[in-house]
Amino acid sequence: MSKRSDILDGTETKNLVKKYGLIYTCRGGWIDLGHLNPSNPRIEIGAENLWRQLISEGSALTDPRCEAPKYTVVAHRVAHHFLKPEVCKTDSRYKFDDGKTGFEVRHRQDHAGYPLKPGREGRYVVKHDLSLEQKKQVALAIFMEVSLRFESFQKLLSPVTDSGYSQEDLVSNLIGFYIGIGEIEKLAALRLCHPTSDKTAYKVWDSEGAVGKNKNSEWQPKHARATERVDTTQCRDECALVNKQFPAEFTTIKPAPKGVWFRELP
């Protein structure tokens, strides 16, 4: 949950390279640097790790019951736990309509600082030998689906955390996705959004309310109604000469539909 004290001066480069903090931008609205961060030491967390799974392509996925038992089978006790070979060959959950095999991809978002790390995740089988562009579309579809699940989960806790669908969450996630798959560098991405000073950010917060109170369930930012502020005796507006449209660079990839290139595992 972002607080007013998290606000940083976005006009200073030293703040843009930080992993945590909140900045206001003329084109991207509020951006949470924590949500934007695509890296994580846990392999199931972060856009960067999701992309790494897709690029590396694991081995062909099958039902674990199709694997030969690694112990002596006593027919009348355990044989029924394993599937017949002909069933394994035709199991549609692990193969696609054209006969191609798939590999497992897991993506998760959670509250790492809470006991038991409560959150939401998805496990998917992704078709082997997709093109680079197809993998980007699959990655975005998985990333968006899990993001929405996590935000909906947080919304259930909103009386406590007020963080589900917070104004900055999804947009920050999306920008972080493009950084994580290598489409753009972090500094370039943030500068595209035209960060403002902390003075303007404070003005927006104080006039329009906390980001957690202003919900946003879209992948497009909600811009402040006004960004003018009085600086000593002058009225200043850091966004006055800026095209406030969300940068097109963050809309070039379209999420793939489920079923053709990937599907969720049961």
Side-chain angles (χ1 to χ4, degrees):
M1 179 176 63
S2 295
K3 305 181 293 294
R4 191 179 187 276
S5 58
D6 295 327
I7 291 175
L8 301 173
D9 185 345
T11 63
E12 296 188 12
T13 300
K14 67 178 182 180
N15 289 329
L16 297 182
V17 299
K18 291 182 177 179
K19 292 185 177 180
Y20 300 100
L22 186 68
I23 61 174
Y24 186 78
T25 69
C26 298
R27 303 185 69 189
W30 286 107
I31 292 178
D32 183 319
L33 298 180
H35 274 256
L36 179 133
N37 181 15
S39 304
N40 198 284
R42 294 164 59 197
I43 61 172
E44 74 277 14
I45 302 286
E48 195 174 85
N49 285 329
L50 171 61
W51 184 236
R52 189 174 289 117
Q53 292 179 70
L54 280 155
I55 290 299
S56 62
E57 291 199 15
S59 56
L61 191 65
T62 58
D63 190 312
R65 292 173 295 172
C66 292
E67 298 178 5
K70 298 177 176 60
Y71 47 83
T72 302
V73 174
V74 179
H76 68 282
R77 291 182 183 174
V78 297
H80 66 280
H81 292 307
F82 295 92
L83 301 180
K84 295 179 180 180
E86 58 268 25
V87 175
C88 294
K89 291 178 181 178
T90 59
D91 194 330
S92 61
R93 293 173 299 174
Y94 304 99
K95 284 191 176 182
F96 293 83
D97 293 343
D98 58 2
K100 281 283 186 84
T101 58
F103 57 97
E104 182 177 0
V105 167
R106 180 186 174 204
H107 183 58
R108 178 176 178 83
Q109 295 183 19
D110 60 31
H111 290 286
Y114 287 63
L116 302 180
K117 298 180 174 63
R120 290 293 182 266
E121 70 175 68
R123 290 178 61 242
Y124 304 86
V125 56
V126 179
K127 184 187 288 189
H128 279 112
D129 302 323
L130 296 178
S131 70
L132 192 63
E133 293 306 313
Q134 289 169 337
K135 287 179 179 178
K136 290 177 183 178
Q137 293 179 58
V138 170
L140 182 58
I142 292 172
F143 185 80
M144 284 182 160
E145 181 166 85
V146 176
S147 292
L148 293 174
R149 284 180 185 172
F150 183 53
E151 293 303 321
S152 295
F153 169 66
Q154 286 183 302
K155 192 175 180 180
L156 296 175
L157 306 175
S158 59
V160 178
T161 67
D162 203 23
S163 58
Y165 292 105
S166 184
Q167 189 174 358
E168 79 285 12
D169 286 350
L170 291 181
V171 172
S172 303
N173 284 3
L174 181 61
I175 296 172
F177 172 83
Y178 277 82
I179 297 170
I181 69 170
E183 292 289 289
I184 191 169
E185 295 290 333
K186 180 181 178 180
L187 276 177
L190 289 172
R191 284 170 175 157
L192 266 179
C193 294
H194 198 95
T196 69
S197 67
D198 52 351
K199 291 181 180 178
T200 293
Y202 287 135
K203 190 271 178 186
V204 172
W205 181 288
D206 294 340
S207 62
E208 302 200 0
V211 290
K213 298 293 184 184
N214 298 313
K215 304 301 184 183
N216 183 13
S217 59
E218 304 296 327
W219 297 94
Q220 291 279 329
K222 287 188 175 181
H223 297 101
R225 291 184 292 272
T227 48
E228 304 92 345
R229 60 178 173 80
V230 176
D231 189 359
T232 61
T233 59
Q234 292 184 325
C235 184
R236 295 192 60 188
D237 186 352
E238 295 180 67
C239 299
L241 302 179
V242 178
N243 172 11
K244 297 179 180 62
Q245 188 173 14
F246 190 49
E249 286 83 352
F250 305 126
T251 62
T252 57
I253 302 170
K254 305 303 178 186
K258 270 185 182 177
V260 180
W261 298 334
F262 80 109
R263 63 170 63 99
E264 191 159 11
L265 285 170

